[in-house]
PDB file of all heavy atoms in Angstrom:
ATOM      1  N   LEU A  23      14.846  33.141 -10.430  1.00 92.00           N
ATOM      2  CA  LEU A  23      16.213  33.458 -10.648  1.00 92.00           C
ATOM      3  C   LEU A  23      17.133  32.309 -10.555  1.00 92.00           C
ATOM      4  O   LEU A  23      18.123  32.227 -11.279  1.00 92.00           O
ATOM      5  CB  LEU A  23      16.603  34.598  -9.727  1.00 92.00           C
ATOM      6  CG  LEU A  23      15.814  35.979  -9.824  1.00 92.00           C
ATOM      7  CD1 LEU A  23      16.294  36.914  -8.843  1.00 92.00           C
ATOM      8  CD2 LEU A  23      15.943  36.505 -11.336  1.00 92.00           C
ATOM      9  N   GLY A  26      17.403  30.049 -13.519  1.00 90.00           N
ATOM     10  CA  GLY A  26      18.119  30.636 -14.764  1.00 90.00           C
ATOM     11  C   GLY A  26      17.263  31.698 -15.412  1.00 90.00           C
ATOM     12  O   GLY A  26      16.123  31.379 -15.807  1.00 90.00           O
ATOM     13  N   GLY A  39       4.802  43.281 -18.273  1.00 93.00           N
ATOM     14  CA  GLY A  39       4.616  44.339 -17.184  1.00 93.00           C
ATOM     15  C   GLY A  39       4.086  45.602 -17.742  1.00 93.00           C
ATOM     16  O   GLY A  39       3.035  46.192 -17.095  1.00 93.00           O
ATOM     17  N   ASP A  62      -4.989  59.059  -6.883  1.00 90.00           N
ATOM     18  CA  ASP A  62      -3.560  58.792  -6.685  1.00 90.00           C
ATOM     19  C   ASP A  62      -3.281  57.763  -5.676  1.00 90.00           C
ATOM     20  O   ASP A  62      -2.283  57.080  -5.734  1.00 90.00           O
ATOM     21  CB  ASP A  62      -2.862  60.153  -6.396  1.00 90.00           C
ATOM     22  CG  ASP A  62      -3.456  60.746  -5.130  1.00 90.00           C
ATOM     23  OD1 ASP A  62      -4.653  60.575  -4.939  1.00 90.00           O
ATOM     24  OD2 ASP A  62      -2.658  61.562  -4.516  1.00 90.00           O
ATOM     25  N   ILE A 100     -13.888  54.077   5.495  1.00 93.00           N
ATOM     26  CA  ILE A 100     -13.647  55.486   5.357  1.00 93.00           C
ATOM     27  C   ILE A 100     -14.752  56.437   5.842  1.00 93.00           C
ATOM     28  O   ILE A 100     -14.679  57.416   6.608  1.00 93.00           O
ATOM     29  CB  ILE A 100     -13.270  55.908   3.987  1.00 93.00           C
ATOM     30  CG1 ILE A 100     -11.891  55.281   3.537  1.00 93.00           C
ATOM     31  CG2 ILE A 100     -13.146  57.450   3.706  1.00 93.00           C
ATOM     32  CD1 ILE A 100     -11.482  55.571   2.140  1.00 93.00           C
ATOM     33  N   LEU A 119      -2.170  39.170   8.313  1.00 96.00           N
ATOM     34  CA  LEU A 119      -1.887  38.262   7.155  1.00 96.00           C
ATOM     35  C   LEU A 119      -0.470  37.651   7.311  1.00 96.00           C
ATOM     36  O   LEU A 119      -0.308  36.459   6.946  1.00 96.00           O
ATOM     37  CB  LEU A 119      -1.983  39.014   5.907  1.00 96.00           C
ATOM     38  CG  LEU A 119      -3.501  39.333   5.357  1.00 96.00           C
ATOM     39  CD1 LEU A 119      -3.419  40.280   4.180  1.00 96.00           C
ATOM     40  CD2 LEU A 119      -4.093  37.988   4.978  1.00 96.00           C
ATOM     41  N   PRO A 135     -16.668  27.400   1.285  1.00 82.00           N
ATOM     42  CA  PRO A 135     -17.586  26.775   0.337  1.00 82.00           C
ATOM     43  C   PRO A 135     -17.817  27.610  -0.951  1.00 82.00           C
ATOM     44  O   PRO A 135     -17.792  28.905  -0.964  1.00 82.00           O
ATOM     45  CB  PRO A 135     -18.974  26.621   1.007  1.00 82.00           C
ATOM     46  CG  PRO A 135     -18.556  26.660   2.512  1.00 82.00           C
ATOM     47  CD  PRO A 135     -17.423  27.591   2.561  1.00 82.00           C
ATOM     48  N   ILE A 150     -20.752  47.472  -6.321  1.00 84.00           N
ATOM     49  CA  ILE A 150     -19.858  48.369  -7.231  1.00 84.00           C
ATOM     50  C   ILE A 150     -20.812  49.004  -8.246  1.00 84.00           C
ATOM     51  O   ILE A 150     -20.632  50.207  -8.633  1.00 84.00           O
ATOM     52  CB  ILE A 150     -18.794  47.456  -7.857  1.00 84.00           C
ATOM     53  CG1 ILE A 150     -17.859  46.991  -6.826  1.00 84.00           C
ATOM     54  CG2 ILE A 150     -17.988  48.324  -8.881  1.00 84.00           C
ATOM     55  CD1 ILE A 150     -16.738  46.004  -7.353  1.00 84.00           C
ATOM     56  N   ILE A 155     -23.706  54.739 -10.004  1.00 91.00           N
ATOM     57  CA  ILE A 155     -24.961  55.364 -10.569  1.00 91.00           C
ATOM     58  C   ILE A 155     -24.745  56.863 -10.483  1.00 91.00           C
ATOM     59  O   ILE A 155     -25.087  57.624 -11.436  1.00 91.00           O
ATOM     60  CB  ILE A 155     -26.109  54.940  -9.837  1.00 91.00           C
ATOM     61  CG1 ILE A 155     -26.511  53.510 -10.181  1.00 91.00           C
ATOM     62  CG2 ILE A 155     -27.309  55.836 -10.243  1.00 91.00           C
ATOM     63  CD1 ILE A 155     -27.665  52.906  -9.464  1.00 91.00           C
ATOM     64  N   ALA A 181     -32.099  62.083  -5.958  1.00 90.00           N
ATOM     65  CA  ALA A 181     -31.245  63.074  -6.805  1.00 90.00           C
ATOM     66  C   ALA A 181     -31.385  62.816  -8.303  1.00 90.00           C
ATOM     67  O   ALA A 181     -30.720  63.581  -9.065  1.00 90.00           O
ATOM     68  CB  ALA A 181     -29.733  62.755  -6.405  1.00 90.00           C
ATOM     69  N   ASN A 294       1.153  30.079   1.878  1.00 92.00           N
ATOM     70  CA  ASN A 294       1.588  30.753   3.095  1.00 92.00           C
ATOM     71  C   ASN A 294       2.534  31.850   2.794  1.00 92.00           C
ATOM     72  O   ASN A 294       2.514  32.983   3.344  1.00 92.00           O
ATOM     73  CB  ASN A 294       2.142  29.807   4.125  1.00 92.00           C
ATOM     74  CG  ASN A 294       1.038  28.839   4.609  1.00 92.00           C
ATOM     75  OD1 ASN A 294       0.084  29.284   5.283  1.00 92.00           O
ATOM     76  ND2 ASN A 294       1.178  27.501   4.360  1.00 92.00           N
ATOM     77  N   ALA A 303       2.867  43.831   1.943  1.00 97.00           N
ATOM     78  CA  ALA A 303       2.381  44.811   0.993  1.00 97.00           C
ATOM     79  C   ALA A 303       1.338  45.730   1.609  1.00 97.00           C
ATOM     80  O   ALA A 303       1.391  46.972   1.377  1.00 97.00           O
ATOM     81  CB  ALA A 303       1.895  44.047  -0.237  1.00 97.00           C
ATOM     82  N   MET A 305       0.985  46.528   4.777  1.00 97.00           N
ATOM     83  CA  MET A 305       1.580  47.395   5.751  1.00 97.00           C
ATOM     84  C   MET A 305       2.320  48.531   5.044  1.00 97.00           C
ATOM     85  O   MET A 305       2.196  49.605   5.462  1.00 97.00           O
ATOM     86  CB  MET A 305       2.561  46.556   6.668  1.00 97.00           C
ATOM     87  CG  MET A 305       1.885  45.521   7.463  1.00 97.00           C
ATOM     88  SD  MET A 305       2.988  44.231   8.142  1.00 97.00           S
ATOM     89  CE  MET A 305       4.000  45.227   9.194  1.00 97.00           C
ATOM     90  N   GLY A 351       1.447  62.447 -14.252  1.00 71.00           N
ATOM     91  CA  GLY A 351       0.424  62.399 -13.237  1.00 71.00           C
ATOM     92  C   GLY A 351      -0.591  63.598 -13.398  1.00 71.00           C
ATOM     93  O   GLY A 351      -1.797  63.492 -13.005  1.00 71.00           O
ATOM     94  N   GLY A 408     -21.834  38.560   5.226  1.00 83.00           N
ATOM     95  CA  GLY A 408     -22.024  37.655   4.098  1.00 83.00           C
ATOM     96  C   GLY A 408     -21.139  36.518   4.138  1.00 83.00           C
ATOM     97  O   GLY A 408     -21.582  35.326   3.995  1.00 83.00           O
ATOM     98  N   ILE A 460     -25.457 -13.953  18.151  1.00 87.00           N
ATOM     99  CA  ILE A 460     -24.517 -13.007  17.784  1.00 87.00           C
ATOM    100  C   ILE A 460     -25.213 -12.016  16.967  1.00 87.00           C
ATOM    101  O   ILE A 460     -25.988 -12.367  15.916  1.00 87.00           O
ATOM    102  CB  ILE A 460     -23.394 -13.513  16.987  1.00 87.00           C
ATOM    103  CG1 ILE A 460     -22.640 -14.626  17.854  1.00 87.00           C
ATOM    104  CG2 ILE A 460     -22.408 -12.510  16.522  1.00 87.00           C
ATOM    105  CD1 ILE A 460     -21.497 -15.420  17.070  1.00 87.00           C
ATOM    106  N   ARG A 483     -32.978   1.176  19.579  1.00 77.00           N
ATOM    107  CA  ARG A 483     -34.114   0.288  19.139  1.00 77.00           C
ATOM    108  C   ARG A 483     -33.752  -1.194  18.837  1.00 77.00           C
ATOM    109  O   ARG A 483     -34.583  -1.911  18.273  1.00 77.00           O
ATOM    110  CB  ARG A 483     -34.671   0.931  17.770  1.00 77.00           C
ATOM    111  CG  ARG A 483     -35.435   2.187  18.116  1.00 77.00           C
ATOM    112  CD  ARG A 483     -35.979   2.784  16.765  1.00 77.00           C
ATOM    113  NE  ARG A 483     -35.023   3.320  15.830  1.00 77.00           N
ATOM    114  CZ  ARG A 483     -34.868   3.028  14.594  1.00 77.00           C
ATOM    115  NH1 ARG A 483     -35.745   2.101  14.057  1.00 77.00           N
ATOM    116  NH2 ARG A 483     -34.011   3.559  13.898  1.00 77.00           N
ATOM    117  N   GLN A 486     -33.986  -7.588  22.305  1.00 79.00           N
ATOM    118  CA  GLN A 486     -33.255  -8.285  23.285  1.00 79.00           C
ATOM    119  C   GLN A 486     -31.769  -8.356  23.093  1.00 79.00           C
ATOM    120  O   GLN A 486     -31.300  -8.629  22.034  1.00 79.00           O
ATOM    121  CB  GLN A 486     -33.776  -9.646  23.382  1.00 79.00           C
ATOM    122  CG  GLN A 486     -33.198 -10.617  24.409  1.00 79.00           C
ATOM    123  CD  GLN A 486     -33.626 -10.174  25.775  1.00 79.00           C
ATOM    124  OE1 GLN A 486     -34.739  -9.628  25.961  1.00 79.00           O
ATOM    125  NE2 GLN A 486     -32.814 -10.362  26.809  1.00 79.00           N
ATOM    126  N   LEU A 501     -13.805   9.195  13.450  1.00 89.00           N
ATOM    127  CA  LEU A 501     -14.561   9.108  14.741  1.00 89.00           C
ATOM    128  C   LEU A 501     -14.162  10.211  15.548  1.00 89.00           C
ATOM    129  O   LEU A 501     -12.970  10.222  16.049  1.00 89.00           O
ATOM    130  CB  LEU A 501     -14.325   7.748  15.348  1.00 89.00           C
ATOM    131  CG  LEU A 501     -15.111   7.537  16.659  1.00 89.00           C
ATOM    132  CD1 LEU A 501     -16.595   7.477  16.368  1.00 89.00           C
ATOM    133  CD2 LEU A 501     -14.530   6.259  17.391  1.00 89.00           C
TER     134      LEU A 501
END
Side-chain angles (χ1 to χ4, degrees):
L23 296 178
D62 53 334
I100 292 177
L119 285 169
I150 294 174
I155 293 176
N294 292 298
M305 294 165 67
I460 302 173
R483 289 184 288 127
Q486 182 67 31
L501 176 69

